[in-house]
Amino acid sequence: MKHIVKILTLLVAITGFWIGLLQTSVIPQSHTWLLPIYFVVSLGCYGLLMVGIGLMCFPTCPQEALLLQEDITEAKEYLKRNAVDVRSD
């Protein structure tokens, strides 16, 4: 719930700033109408940056890998008992 309030507050602040720029004509109106597009493009770039950083810092979990291998072995044994071929030839 707190995250939604933060997002809505930011959205209202940005919208108010944009409408203020449209009303006061500080920036030429042709440029002011493009600000939402610039904002969306900037948000997309930020998102890609965060995904890239997350992939570069992706943690390795050796204990989880062992648990996954145990689960795979258990599943293969279960399928063998039920006459399902699970060979990886």
Side-chain angles (χ1 to χ4, degrees):
M1 184 67 181
K2 291 179 183 179
H3 195 64
I4 292 173
V5 172
K6 287 180 187 178
I7 291 172
L8 288 177
T9 304
L10 183 63
L11 187 62
V12 167
I14 290 171
T15 304
F17 180 70
W18 182 57
I19 291 173
L21 284 176
L22 283 173
Q23 295 295 324
T24 60
S25 298
V26 174
I27 299 174
Q29 198 166 17
S30 62
H31 296 296
T32 308
W33 284 107
L34 294 175
L35 284 177
I37 295 170
Y38 294 150
F39 178 71
V40 170
V41 169
S42 299
L43 192 61
C45 291
Y46 174 75
L48 286 174
L49 177 70
M50 289 295 108
V51 168
I53 289 173
L55 287 174
M56 286 189 300
C57 302
F58 192 75
T60 56
C61 305
Q63 64 275 13
E64 294 297 325
L66 292 174
L67 290 174
L68 181 61
Q69 288 297 327
E70 290 175 7
D71 288 344
I72 291 171
T73 304
E74 181 182 330
K76 284 183 179 180
E77 290 172 3
Y78 173 79
L79 291 172
K80 281 182 186 177
R81 283 193 306 254
N82 291 324
V84 176
D85 185 22
V86 290
R87 290 181 295 163
S88 59
D89 293 338

